[in-house]
Amino acid sequence: MIGTDRQTPLLWADKRFHTWNYEMRETFGTKTFKVMLDAGFTCPNRDGSIAAGGCTFCSTRGSGDFAGSRRDDLVSQFNDIRDRQHLKWPEAKYIGYFQAYTNTYAPVETLREYYEVIVQQPGVVGLSIATRPDCLPDDVVDYLAELNERTYLWVEMGLQTIHESTSQLINRAHDTDCFIDAVTRLRARGIRVCAHIIHGLPGESREMMLETVQAVAGMDVQGIKIHLLHLMRKTPMVRQWRDGLLRFLDQDEYVSLVVDSLEMLPPGMIVHRLTGDAPRDLLIGPMWSLKKWEVLNAIDAELVRRDSWQGKAWKGR
């Protein structure tokens, strides 16, 4: 990374933002990719423990549409996805990514059984665990802290928005204070946290979306995933769309939002993702999101056009 002041662009290799790929190469010396897994968990926002129906944007696979099949055991899933990725990156290392549903929603004994089998696979250098902030009881945090001492660990949590009106509309079923409390408890044990946010949620203005970014920029989180809202078939949000509560962002609008967001983030925050994926056969819109590399290239181009970079407008300096 170069650059020493607000007028000199910060660069992470050839990018103007702190990419996951850059961080992995700096940490492990080679390409390192996530192997997406479905361990068969459910979610307290689906089974009635906290709420029912799930977040309105969440797919029937619990946002694990590109993970392995839960019909297969974890090692089989891991080997299958690893082998496919190896066709592109034969010398890579791996992060086991427990992606689908809520991956701390089980007794510690179960979590230990699932996580440890992946940690032990050849070439695995760490784990990334996606969960909800209301599914981190003390004994689970204790185990995660132990795990964090033995491997490279991330806990990923869906904030999505700081606005409680939106939270209710999307049936998030936890509030922002719950998220902040979970971050505080994880960070007290030295565990890396990645916050997920979504641009384009129903009823949110550009200002509301950037207020969420500004809030995340001030939190003690080490990574962020910025998702584009994409509407999928068989999700509760389809009804909201039909009722006129949802407007799809266009590509130029989204690119501008992402660059605004990057400018607000601290340079040390690792950007795990800048857009969202959805299976073509499930996607209702926006259809331009299927051209992922076109979107990412447009973000790079807009950063160059503005002569901007991650952290240029960060208020922490």
Side-chain angles (χ1 to χ4, degrees), residues 165-186:
S165 58
T166 311
S167 174
Q168 293 174 18
L169 196 59
I170 64 175
N171 196 39
R172 186 179 63 180
H174 67 74
D175 60 19
T176 301
D177 287 344
C178 175
F179 183 90
I180 293 171
D181 177 69
V183 170
T184 301
R185 293 168 59 238
L186 290 166

Side-chain angles (χ1 to χ4, degrees), residues 250-314:
D250 63 41
Q251 182 172 321
D252 288 345
E253 187 178 12
Y254 183 72
V255 168
S256 178
L257 269 166
V258 168
V259 174
D260 286 350
S261 301
L262 290 172
E263 290 174 347
M264 297 165 69
L265 297 176
M269 189 177 289
I270 302 160
V271 180
H272 292 229
R273 175 180 285 275
L274 282 182
T275 187
D277 297 303
R280 181 180 294 269
D281 60 335
L282 293 179
L283 183 65
I284 295 174
M287 299 310 292
W288 57 262
S289 66
L290 292 170
K291 299 178 180 178
K292 180 178 178 180
W293 284 107
E294 182 177 303
V295 178
L296 294 174
N297 288 339
I299 291 168
D300 287 338
E302 179 64 8
L303 284 164
V304 172
R305 188 193 71 79
R306 294 189 193 183
D307 191 25
S308 194
W309 56 89
Q310 180 178 334
K312 186 176 184 180
W314 177 44

Side-chain angles (χ1 to χ4, degrees), residues 58 69-70 90 97 101 113 125 139 149 163 170 243-244 246 270 277 303 305 307 309:
C58 193
S69 171
R70 61 173 46 199
Y97 182 21
Y101 295 95
E113 176 186 352
V125 293
D139 61 342
E149 294 179 357
H163 300 286
I170 64 175
D243 289 342
L246 173 63
I270 302 160
D277 297 303
L303 284 164
R305 188 193 71 79
D307 191 25
W309 56 89

Side-chain angles (χ1 to χ4, degrees), residues 159-164 166 172 176 179 195-199 201 204-219 224-226 261 264-265:
L159 172 62
Q160 322 310 2
T161 178
I162 62 166
H163 300 286
E164 300 308 327
T166 311
R172 186 179 63 180
T176 301
F179 183 90
H196 290 224
I197 66 171
I198 300 177
H199 284 336
L201 289 169
E204 290 215 339
S205 64
R206 183 186 190 90
E207 290 71 26
M208 292 172 73
M209 297 178 219
L210 293 178
E211 284 169 2
T212 293
V213 176
Q214 187 65 61
V216 173
M219 294 180 188
I224 188 170
K225 283 188 176 180
I226 302 175
S261 301
M264 297 165 69
L265 297 176

Side-chain angles (χ1 to χ4, degrees), residues 72-191:
D72 299 329
D73 64 78
L74 285 171
V75 173
S76 297
Q77 289 184 43
F78 179 87
N79 290 339
D80 178 57
I81 295 174
R82 177 205 59 195
D83 291 348
R84 278 186 275 142
Q85 297 274 51
H86 255 299
L87 296 175
K88 188 173 183 180
W89 298 298
E91 302 301 323
K93 295 179 181 178
Y94 331 111
I95 302 285
Y97 182 21
F98 286 83
Q99 181 184 35
Y101 295 95
T102 303
N103 291 276
T104 59
Y105 188 43
V108 169
E109 295 75 17
T110 301
L111 302 182
R112 187 181 296 273
E113 176 186 352
Y114 290 174
Y115 299 166
E116 298 293 342
V117 73
I118 297 301
V119 169
Q120 294 166 11
Q121 298 307 304
V124 169
V125 293
L127 295 180
S128 193
I129 298 167
T131 191
R132 290 173 56 90
D134 50 9
C135 290
L136 290 165
D138 290 343
D139 61 342
V140 169
V141 174
D142 288 344
Y143 171 52
L144 293 174
E146 174 202 324
L147 196 60
N148 190 51
E149 294 179 357
R150 295 187 280 114
T151 193
Y152 181 80
L153 180 67
W154 284 87
V155 172
E156 302 191 24
M157 297 189 296
L159 172 62
Q160 322 310 2
T161 178
I162 62 166
H163 300 286
E164 300 308 327
S165 58
T166 311
S167 174
Q168 293 174 18
L169 196 59
I170 64 175
N171 196 39
R172 186 179 63 180
H174 67 74
D175 60 19
T176 301
D177 287 344
C178 175
F179 183 90
I180 293 171
D181 177 69
V183 170
T184 301
R185 293 168 59 238
L186 290 166
R187 293 301 299 142
R189 309 300 294 274
I191 299 167

